[in-house]
Amino acid sequence: MLFNRSGSAISTIANILASPIEYLKGVGPLRADMLRKELNIFTFKDLLEHFPIRHIDKTKVNPIKDINAFTDYIQVVGRLVHYEIIGTGRSRRLIAQVKDASGQLELTWFQGISWVEKNLHIGSDYLIFGKTGFFNSKPQMVHPEIEVFVPAKAGAKAFLEPVYPSTEKLKARGLNGRQLAKLTYALMQLLQPKDLPENLPDYLVHELKLLPRFESYAAIHFPATDLLYRKALERLKFEEFFIAQVRLQLVRLQRSNASQGVVFGKVGNYFNDFYNKYLPFELTGAQKRVLKEIRTDTARGRQMNRLLQGDVGSGKTMVALLSMLLAADNGFQSCLMAPTEILAQQHYTGLKELLKEMPLEIALLTGSTKTAERKRILKGLIEDTIHFVVGTHAIIEEVVQFKHLGLVIVDEQHRFGVAQRARLWEKATVPPHVLVMTATPIPRTLAMTAYGDLEYSVMDELPPGRIPITTVQRNEMARANVMGFVKEEIQKGRQAYFIYPLIEESEKLSYEDLMQGYEQVKSFFPEPQYRISMVHGKQPADQKETNMERFVKGDTQIMVSTTVIEVGVNVPNASVMVIESAEKFGLSQLHQLRGRVGRGSEKSFCILLTGSRASKEAKERINIMCATNDGFKIAEKDLEMRGPGDIEGTRQSGALNFKLASIVNDKGLLELAKEKAESLVEKDLYLEQEAHQSLKNFMQSQKLKQGWSKIS
Ligand code: ADP
Ligand code: MG
């Protein structure tokens, strides 16, 4: 699809790298079986891409006496003086003693004992590499890598020896990191530059002074120097990022070029009247900038597919509304989709209030909309008498037909596939513009890789006058104090949230937790002086709504809830949030929850109650929460701590499957790759230029292989 213009066939020259691993000299059926099972190495290519974790300088042999408490991995040469097998069952082990001129070292094996024994000969010298430890204050290595020592031949080409990740099972069968190095060495001997042809455009290789591809593979495994290794690593990481970015940019620009879009050519009365008469505040610089981006995007005659990320409370809703007014000015309807009924209701109420003096029809459509009302709305939408519809997305997607739908806004949704959503609306001949608003920021590098095929806007500025939320951590033992503090706030006329974790494995447990919590809160805040709302996932929608509404109106001062509350709820008078078992929440979730307070003119507080058994990571999360209110910083930390695969809601896209590169550790390289990919794609959208043929061929072959591996 990416190359549809020329549609060139893919050459299927038999590729040595596709050879099954058992055909490599030194492998054979048994080892091949183990390599497949333990390391997922099926082909020559897989072995080539089994990269070393470090290199050791084989020429460097350390005296045993140098081993001390600070030694990590070390290489020594020692003569075997003794070994024995002792213990039984699980503690059965082979213990060997080796000696050099400076001292003695103990080696221990718990697994593969018979294999090790077979290969040990008293009086022989061994080259030994491993992680050191101390046992009874004597230096020791468990499961070292060991081979017969052969003094380096004079004039032999020196290189750093790679050490590969292996598994205990493989090590026990003699396929340790060193043996893998031998196999990889054998493989490199078979390969020629033509087997690993350059795939980056020559001009880039020159401009960035990148190591050529073949040399890079050679040097990442067997570098002559450390510098060469780093050059190789850099080049291969760049290649990974670059190719992923080219792919994303091709998708983005080709889609944008191919898709027609409705044209929002003018700013008219709806927008201007609202802006001049009813806008309750001055827009922030970020809001203005994003509106400008949307305005430009929607006027081009191409479909907009934009991701809007802003921190909690940055004012995304107003951007949404102003965009909807822009649509209306151009004769188009808009819909705003929210993930929950509560949120849809709230958006509807808020927008209706803002628009009350405007000659615009706005409707709310959710699962609990009554039949007659629903009929009226559906009719109004198909007849174009309703301008805006707000609702839960499931409802809107399923049943609604519009006469002139021009804009779809999806709120608070980085939890599900942005692109799917966008595609859904491509069914129409001229698709509406799509604006997806995330609940909390996404780290920049993640946005670039996981959502790189969308345009995106960032709102990195909060409305002025916000008083920062103070966040503290308290132990459960301090509960009485915490309750006392909440009481003071309520007596000042404020409202409070108590949030309980959703225990994923058990809805029942979560429910019980919540009920217990509710009783506890009630005992501190007895009726009728205090009134409490409770909202949870098991409630029928209307009950949820009533409870919510009472809290929004201030009829109840306390909201006890599970995380159903987290998305977007806006009660500016609420100034305290107590999060129970805070150690059970993820960072972005905590941040989102906390964003429910600090929305009004009063100072707000977030109290993270933790049990005594919080893990180290949990403690770090809590510390981060106490240290900053900045959602962008928190998102970065979250990514650092969890890695890209685990970030909630990110697409499980191939775009994140990097073998060497890391979006956490190689940010600079990613930026560079993105910049280069963008300028390439802008120049040559269908990769037709001569300079891009090798890249195109490579990308096509990559695609093909991915397809096959899925089938097999
Ligand atoms: P979010 O980006 O989290 O969805 P909201 O759109 O709910 O944030 O806005 C949070 C609050 O800030 C709302 O009460 C909104 O009215 C207010 N707000 C939005 N923009 C501005 C602004 N430019 N100046 C002052 N207050 C604003
Ligand atoms: Mg919002």
Side-chain angles (χ1 to χ4, degrees), residues 342-404:
I342 292 178
L343 199 59
Q345 170 75 50
Q346 187 186 287
H347 272 319
Y348 172 74
T349 317
L351 295 188
K352 202 165 165 64
E353 174 64 25
L354 283 165
L355 296 174
K356 66 175 185 250
E357 305 292 336
M358 301 279 300
L360 283 161
E361 273 300 312
I362 176 167
L364 174 69
L365 189 63
T366 69
S368 48
T369 305
K370 301 277 182 309
T371 316
E373 171 70 354
R374 167 185 300 253
K375 266 197 187 140
R376 184 189 73 82
I377 295 171
L378 294 183
K379 189 158 173 282
L381 288 170
I382 195 90
E383 287 175 356
D384 199 14
T385 53
I386 293 176
H387 302 85
F388 302 154
V389 61
V390 180
T392 40
H393 40 76
I395 304 294
I396 294 182
E397 277 158 24
E398 271 164 29
V399 296
V400 179
Q401 304 247 323
F402 295 82
K403 181 142 187 219
H404 291 304

Side-chain angles (χ1 to χ4, degrees), residues 12 72 95 136 175 269 317 336 357 363 385 460 472 477 627 636 696 707:
T12 44
D72 189 19
I95 294 185
N136 290 339
L175 261 179
N269 287 340
T317 318
L336 172 58
E357 305 292 336
T385 53
D460 48 4
V472 294
M477 314 290 270
E636 291 288 342
K696 178 172 163 178

Side-chain angles (χ1 to χ4, degrees), residues 317-333:
T317 318
M318 188 48 75
V319 171
L321 173 58
L322 289 165
S323 309
M324 289 158 80
L325 290 167
L326 183 64
D329 274 337
N330 291 279
F332 288 98
Q333 297 165 288

